[in-house]
Amino acid sequence: MVLEASPDVMAEQGFTPAETTVIQLLLEGLSNRAIASRLVVSIRTVESHISNALDKSGCRSRLELSMWWLNTHSEATRTCSGKLPSMPA
């Protein structure tokens, strides 16, 4: 299943549809290899999309990018729930 974000979300930060899709798959906890497999692209292509998204967001890591995305995009504009599984105490 390929996720798509609304055009408003992409335009507000200058993200391409591909970068947005990769970010949403990051929110699902997928590795670069798993994202590449799901999108039927090379791992290098996924790495490029992540690198571009990091540059546009000002983030320094995949985790920081994921947290930034969850904090700056409202529930209404997110297509991924962004909810992490609860951790045991």
Side-chain angles (χ1 to χ4, degrees):
M1 165 177 106
V2 175
L3 304 172
E4 294 186 26
S6 70
D8 295 336
V9 171
M10 294 181 294
E12 84 181 37
Q13 294 292 331
F15 290 102
T16 66
E19 291 163 356
T20 303
T21 299
V22 168
I23 291 170
Q24 291 170 339
L25 293 173
L26 279 176
L27 293 175
E28 290 184 21
L30 299 178
S31 67
N32 289 0
R33 183 179 303 277
I35 293 170
S37 177
R38 174 119 20 127
L39 298 178
V40 192
V41 297
S42 73
I43 294 171
R44 181 65 189 117
T45 298
V46 172
E47 290 170 350
S48 293
H49 291 317
I50 292 172
S51 178
N52 291 339
L54 289 170
D55 287 343
K56 290 176 183 180
S57 66
C59 296
R60 295 173 297 201
S61 69
R62 293 163 49 102
L63 176 59
E64 190 176 343
L65 177 62
S66 297
M67 297 305 294
W68 173 84
W69 187 267
L70 291 173
N71 287 327
T72 59
H73 296 83
S74 69
E75 270 305 313
T77 60
R78 277 190 252 141
T79 57
C80 175
S81 70
K83 295 189 168 102
L84 299 174
S86 54
M87 300 297 286

